[in-house]
Amino acid sequence: MPEDSIEHINFEDLNNRAISKPLVDHIFTADPSAHVFNGIIYIYPSHDIDAGEAFDDLGSHFAMEDYHVFSMEDIESETKDHGVALHVDDVAWAKQQMWAPDANEKNGTYYLFFPAKDYEGVFRIGVATSESPTGPFKARPKPIENSFSIDPAVFKDDDGEYYMYFGGLWGGQLQRWREGVFNNNKPNSPTAHIPKDNEPALLPFVAKMTDDLFEFSEAPKEIKILDEYGNLILAGDHNRRFFEAAWLHKHQEKYYFSYSTGDTHFICYAIGESPYGPFTYQGKILNPVVGWTSHHSICTIKGKDYLFYHDSSLSKGVTHLRSIKMTEIKYREDGTIETINPYS
Ligand code: FUB
């Protein structure tokens, strides 16, 4: 959201109209990835810290240096902060910008998947493990080989295979990987290397994980997001094209790929028959929230699906510091999702 438009918001009115309250109010949190492990809800968000720098589209205004894990006994209960679960100083390969993470579990080990910039200024994706869902997590010495860009989301399919979905435009650098190697030209422009409006939009990636969940077991593949005519969504279609915040969940045996449209701030979804897609665009899950970005996850809790998301209502937009929230998702009989307005 442009810096000037947030200044004109009446936050008292906005907070009165907000459909949900921040789950955490003692620190600023964003990009919530939620999972249920052993009957407890665990949330793995980013941690927004004001860097004291001017706002820009590369995220320089945030000093995001660690992750806290939160838990809830049920959807109405207090959100418990389990403290710092991983700090950038404890990740040998990572220099800065611990952006949106995800987590998963396999055979009693908990895995934290996270993007960070390496010492060359290139986003990579790392893995850290713990015997507890709340950490502390111990990071692998190197990032996942052939990983790039941001926003990992790791989905476990019913057959026990795990897939990582990832990618993000502008500050997330996906546009710099169009030739398969990192393009470092015009380093300060978030929109350099973005396709023209009449070209297909950049696509997110998916890769199946190795048995130990430490690496990709295959080269990452692009995920096709198609319109109602079976054509790839175009780069100029800013209300529907993929930008960041990939997430995958299943509903009635179908695969739902959801994502943020970035500069237009929608959380959208597309449905497919396979974890690799293709996915056909269906509509919006969440209308724009106030703040710099929109980002979400979808988690089934006691048979109902919930959207975890964030906005900047608690910080009243100051430096766009964000706070995590949750609300229920409602499906229509045909499997489509009712669009949620974050403010009534
Ligand atoms: O929180 C930093 C970045 O902002 C995330 O990685 C993006 O998805 C956006 O929410």
Side-chain angles (χ1 to χ4, degrees), residues 93-115:
W93 60 267
K95 183 173 178 223
Q96 60 189 18
Q97 282 172 289
M98 308 278 271
W99 281 13
D102 190 21
N104 220 314
E105 180 272 343
K106 186 172 182 183
N107 298 332
T109 297
Y110 296 87
Y111 297 78
L112 185 71
F113 304 95
F114 61 96

Side-chain angles (χ1 to χ4, degrees), residues 261-331:
T261 60
D263 52 351
T264 49
H265 283 245
F266 294 108
I267 299 292
C268 294
Y269 71 109
I271 297 180
E273 304 288 337
S274 147
Y276 291 105
F279 298 97
T280 301
Y281 179 88
Q282 300 294 322
K284 296 171 177 127
I285 300 177
L286 182 68
N287 278 329
V289 292
V290 62
W292 176 45
T293 66
S294 196
H295 189 120
H296 72 299
S297 65
I298 294 168
C299 180
T300 306
I301 302 167
K302 295 185 179 158
K304 291 182 176 174
D305 279 359
Y306 291 85
L307 182 76
F308 288 75
Y309 65 105
H310 67 222
D311 75 3
S312 297
S313 57
L314 181 68
S315 66
K316 298 190 166 62
V318 173
T319 321
H320 296 274
L321 293 160
R322 302 163 291 179
S323 300
I324 57 171
K325 297 181 156 189
M326 70 184 286
T327 192
E328 193 183 335
I329 286 179
K330 301 255 171 61
Y331 295 89

Side-chain angles (χ1 to χ4, degrees), residues 183-229:
N183 182 339
N184 203 24
N185 291 335
K186 295 193 203 163
N188 291 324
S189 168
T191 52
H193 316 295
I194 294 281
K196 294 192 181 70
D197 280 1
N198 61 357
E199 293 174 349
L202 292 175
L203 297 170
F205 280 79
V206 61
K208 193 185 275 190
M209 304 298 288
T210 51
D211 281 348
D212 58 14
L213 305 190
F214 289 158
E215 300 288 342
F216 298 148
S217 70
E218 58 187 0
K221 300 175 170 61
E222 286 182 325
I223 301 166
K224 288 187 177 139
I225 305 176
L226 307 175
D227 66 14
E228 62 275 37
Y229 306 109

